[in-house]
Amino acid sequence: MRRWGWILATFLLAVSAMGQESAQPAAPPAAPPAVQPVSTTPGLAVTPQTTQRTPVSIDQVVDQIIEREHALMAFLKNRTPLVETYLQNLTPDAKLGAVPREDHYFLGRLDMGDIVDRRDYLTKQMSFQQNLMGGVTKLFRIQYQPMGFSWMVFADRQNFDRSHYDFHYVHREFLGEVRCLVFEVIPKKNAGTGLFHGQIWVEDQDYNIVRLNGTYEPRPRNAFYFHMDSWRLNLVPGYWIPSYIYSEEGDFSYGSKDKEAFKAQSRIWGYDVMRNSRDDELTDLKVEAVKDESAVAQDLSPLEAQRAWQQQAEDNVVERLQKAALIAPAGDVDKVLQTVVNNIQITNDVDLPRPVHARVMVTYPLETFSVGNTIIISRGLLDTLPDEASLAAVLSHELAHIVLGHNLGSKFAFNDRMLFSDESTYQNFGFRHNPEEETAADAKAVELLKNSPYAQKLGSAGLYLKQLQARGPVLSALLTAHLGNGFADNKGQIIRLSALMGSAPQLDESKLDQIAALPLGGRIKLDPWQDHVEMIKAAAVSYTSIRDKMPFEVTPFFPRLTRLGSNATTAVNGPAADANAGK
Ligand SMILES: [Zn+2]
């Protein structure tokens, strides 16, 4: 126990220093180094409420970590967030390093009160777990234990206690602006199979786990466990909510025996979907907002009635998609998108009876569609577009559908057509156009773009499509649109706005300064609790090798952790939007 005593001394100093910091809010917080050296500040009194919770020994800290982990499980047990996994199998490439060979996509609901996930958005028959393993089984021939996805959400759902694990304090470290204690967690001998082995980061106020990194062992016969890096965000007072998981297996470094490798991102969101029910809306209802605001009170003409009917259908669908947590609540990103649409409209003198709106679908697959006058664009697409001109090109196709009157379907004005389970959204909704309308929309889009402020910058849009074409055949999951028309046919050939490719520069993946498309995750940040999206504010990073470009690829997560309510800037040191993009 002598070793513990020494660690305890430094630990208590850390707590004291912390108390001192929070007692002086006027001092501007300096940028914390990645690893904080052990404080030499003499012990000072801590604030009263911290005193109550401050454990006096490492043992007590561990007790509190375990208690907080079980409290989190209890807190989330009635929640059924969405979980989305996008996985890329890799193959070695002499020039580009490991590149995607094929991809898989899974979207489902995670029942936090259960061990196994059952409900899936994409197919009714298979559970998310079977789907996940179905995709990976081909690779590793895995027969998966019935633990479901939740094994990567919590350290250990059933056995997270001292009788199954040893906890060793490692050091202190900042994750973002949150000071953490790092512990190594090791399963005890003969404590069972599939136990967590790795590191946990716990924040130093209440000792909630904020990050888990490791794998599970020993593996039972015929089972395989991934390595994972799992992050939580402080979205609710007192709780850190599982939000991102990065998994990776295999590598192709010299001498490695791995023949297969993959990397995968999982995102969890939609925790608070229950709260977005209509009951809440009723209590929030502002009468002003629904008042008839026309200058002169009058009856509707037949055409006006038709438009009001279409508006009702549009509102119904958008509201339903938001309730299913598939599109984010209206917010600032929408305004950026609407500005781009506006720029195209104004320069083309497009005058529509109803304004065009834009919303963000929060999923990976690259797709756009429009519902009435609302354009919906997926997060994956926003992430990978290199600049505003390419965004304008993508939006112009949907604006063209609106201008050409292709979105007049109003069957969703009947409210009974909104009555289906969230999981069956993709079976009940579809906003695809026939090939004739697609061709007409593309032609109109090019015409709109030529008269727009983006007319001279369309090379980047064409280059993006060329890059998509180059990678398309191995990214069929990313290219599969679920509600709208896809960018490519089923062989990965680009069919959307293909005219723009003709005037684009030649795609050259070995050219360092040619950034045709960005990695996934570089632009849009999603709040997993309330589903709000915002733009990532990442510092520009310059590329040093063509392997840095990673178009359409997934990368590890590195969210900048902050405590709820701290109003520090929310810079993200994540997969960064690139400096070279947009030139
Ligand atoms: Zn279309």
Side-chain angles (χ1 to χ4, degrees):
M1 288 312 284
R2 205 153 259 204
R3 188 167 150 243
W4 290 123
W6 178 81
I7 289 165
L8 184 62
T10 59
F11 168 68
L12 285 176
L13 286 173
V15 170
S16 309
M18 188 62 216
Q20 188 186 28
E21 274 166 29
S22 52
Q24 298 171 343
V35 179
Q36 185 75 352
V38 172
S39 169
T40 51
T41 315
L44 285 171
V46 291
T47 55
Q49 87 238 47
T50 328
T51 313
Q52 279 176 347
R53 306 208 61 158
T54 303
V56 294
S57 71
I58 288 289
D59 268 356
Q60 284 172 312
V61 172
V62 170
D63 284 342
Q64 190 147 352
I65 293 170
I66 292 169
E67 188 230 297
R68 291 310 301 157
E69 188 68 356
H70 287 106
L72 179 69
M73 291 179 207
F75 177 65
L76 293 177
K77 79 173 191 300
N78 293 323
R79 304 278 166 176
T80 55
L82 279 85
V83 58
E84 182 184 37
T85 295
Y86 179 59
L87 185 152
Q88 293 180 331
N89 291 329
L90 307 174
T91 190
D93 178 275
K95 270 199 245 165
L96 296 170
V99 295
R101 181 170 60 81
E102 60 170 0
D103 64 346
H104 297 277
Y105 176 69
F106 316 98
L107 176 66
R109 277 233 184 256
L110 180 60
D111 190 336
M112 303 294 277
D114 202 341
I115 292 177
V116 181
D117 326 306
R118 294 160 304 184
R119 285 172 282 172
D120 193 280
Y121 272 61
L122 301 178
T123 59
K124 280 176 177 169
Q125 294 81 12
M126 291 178 76
S127 71
F128 171 80
Q129 175 208 347
Q130 284 166 323
N131 255 337
L132 175 67
M133 293 309 129
V136 184
T137 302
K138 284 184 217 139
L139 252 180
F140 292 103
R141 286 195 291 281
I142 302 155
Q143 206 184 346
Y144 191 61
Q145 290 290 94
M147 291 168 75
F149 191 83
S150 52
W151 60 288
M152 297 206 283
V153 170
F154 300 110
D156 185 330
R157 227 189 133 123
Q158 289 154 311
N159 301 312
F160 194 64
D161 55 39
R162 285 173 180 283
S163 62
H164 291 82
Y165 291 98
D166 288 322
F167 295 78
H168 299 300
Y169 172 79
V170 181
H171 60 204
R172 287 185 298 125
E173 185 180 320
F174 270 98
L175 290 181
E177 57 183 52
V178 176
R179 196 200 307 257
C180 297
L181 307 179
V182 183
F183 285 83
E184 196 181 2
V185 180
I186 304 166
K188 284 188 191 292
K189 267 213 168 97
N190 303 321
T193 56
L195 296 174
F196 176 74
H197 183 183
Q199 272 195 355
I200 56 172
W201 284 250
V202 301
E203 44 86 21
D204 72 346
Q205 285 179 13
D206 298 321
Y207 307 104
N208 289 295
I209 297 175
V210 302
R211 182 185 180 192
L212 302 137
N213 177 304
T215 188
Y216 296 81
E217 66 172 38
R219 43 186 277 206
R221 226 150 47 88
N222 302 325
F224 184 92
Y225 294 112
F226 305 144
H227 283 83
M228 58 87 172
D229 188 29
S230 178
W231 293 77
R232 298 175 178 178
L233 303 178
N234 189 196
L235 303 169
V236 183
Y239 294 96
W240 289 73
I241 306 301
S243 304
Y244 308 114
I245 301 166
Y246 177 72
S247 319
E248 186 183 282
E249 287 299 331
D251 82 81
F252 300 126
S253 54
Y254 184 71
S256 161
K257 290 196 180 74
D258 291 331
K259 297 243 177 343
E260 300 281 3
F262 76 82
K263 50 185 181 177
Q265 286 187 346
S266 297
R267 292 164 181 265
I268 307 164
W269 80 91
Y271 281 99
D272 209 20
V273 167
M274 288 186 295
R275 228 199 51 174
N276 293 335
S277 70
R278 284 175 185 250
D279 293 348
D280 284 326
E281 273 168 36
L282 259 185
T283 57
D284 288 350
L285 197 65
K286 290 186 181 65
V287 174
E288 294 80 14
V290 292
K291 196 175 66 180
D292 182 354
E293 283 171 354
S294 53
V296 185
Q298 58 190 10
D299 297 323
L300 296 189
S301 70
L303 179 57
E304 285 168 320
Q306 177 67 24
R307 285 176 181 161
W309 184 243
Q310 284 155 4
Q311 179 76 58
Q312 189 173 322
E314 178 179 333
D315 292 347
N316 278 349
V317 170
V318 170
E319 192 180 304
R320 187 67 190 83
L321 286 171
Q322 186 178 323
K323 188 173 160 284
L326 288 170
I327 68 175
D332 288 345
V333 179
D334 305 341
K335 288 179 196 146
V336 173
L337 304 176
Q338 274 156 220
T339 303
V340 173
V341 174
N342 246 324
N343 290 344
I344 305 171
Q345 272 187 269
I346 290 168
T347 46
N348 280 281
D349 271 331
V350 171
D351 197 12
L352 296 165
R354 297 190 287 125
V356 176
H357 292 114
R359 299 289 288 271
V360 179
M361 185 169 180
V362 297
T363 47
Y364 282 91
L366 311 183
E367 66 179 302
T368 64
F369 56 94
S370 37
V371 180
N373 280 21
T374 299
I375 297 173
I376 292 159
I377 178 168
S378 70
R379 178 182 56 78
L381 184 53
L382 283 172
D383 275 348
T384 53
L385 289 167
D387 61 4
E388 190 176 324
S390 54
L391 173 62
V394 167
L395 293 171
S396 71
H397 174 90
E398 296 303 336
L399 178 62
H401 279 306
I402 293 170
V403 171
L404 295 171
H406 290 170
N407 298 338
L408 299 187
S410 53
K411 66 175 181 173
F412 297 118
F414 290 106
N415 285 286
D416 62 291
R417 295 203 165 114
M418 299 299 114
L419 301 178
F420 50 79
S421 70
D422 290 353
E423 295 81 46
S424 62
T425 301
Y426 289 166
Q427 279 85 46
N428 283 277
F429 276 160
F431 308 100
R432 291 183 183 88
H433 294 281
N434 62 33
E436 291 73 31
E437 287 185 348
E438 283 299 285
T439 307
D442 275 348
K444 184 72 183 174
V446 171
E447 182 193 316
L448 293 171
L449 288 168
K450 290 210 164 124
N451 290 322
S452 79
Y454 307 105
Q456 303 308 313
K457 303 168 194 157
L458 294 173
S460 67
L463 201 55
Y464 176 83
L465 294 170
K466 281 185 172 179
Q467 179 75 69
L468 195 55
Q469 173 124 304
R471 291 282 173 108
V474 297
L475 299 178
S476 60
L478 191 64
L479 277 165
T480 300
H482 294 278
L483 290 172
N485 291 84
F487 276 79
D489 64 16
N490 54 16
K491 292 195 177 73
Q493 286 293 305
I494 298 301
I495 47 175
R496 171 87 55 96
L497 290 169
S498 48
L500 294 180
M501 290 195 283
S503 50
Q506 200 184 349
L507 178 72
D508 184 354
E509 295 204 278
S510 62
K511 223 170 134 191
L512 187 59
D513 63 351
Q514 188 189 74
I515 308 302
L518 303 184
L520 290 159
R523 288 211 190 277
I524 301 295
K525 190 164 67 168
L526 172 68
D527 169 340
W529 196 255
Q530 302 200 303
D531 309 338
H532 290 288
V533 288
E534 58 179 297
M535 292 286 188
I536 285 174
K537 302 178 196 88
V541 182
S542 59
Y543 294 163
T544 56
S545 140
I546 55 167
R547 295 185 181 192
D548 289 346
K549 298 206 283 185
M550 301 184 289
F552 306 110
E553 292 182 31
V554 297
T555 59
F557 291 111
F558 252 91
R560 181 171 173 77
L561 299 189
T562 54
R563 290 189 183 277
L564 185 65
S566 81
N567 45 13
T569 53
T570 51
V572 167
N573 48 11
D578 181 68
N580 301 330
K583 282 184 189 163

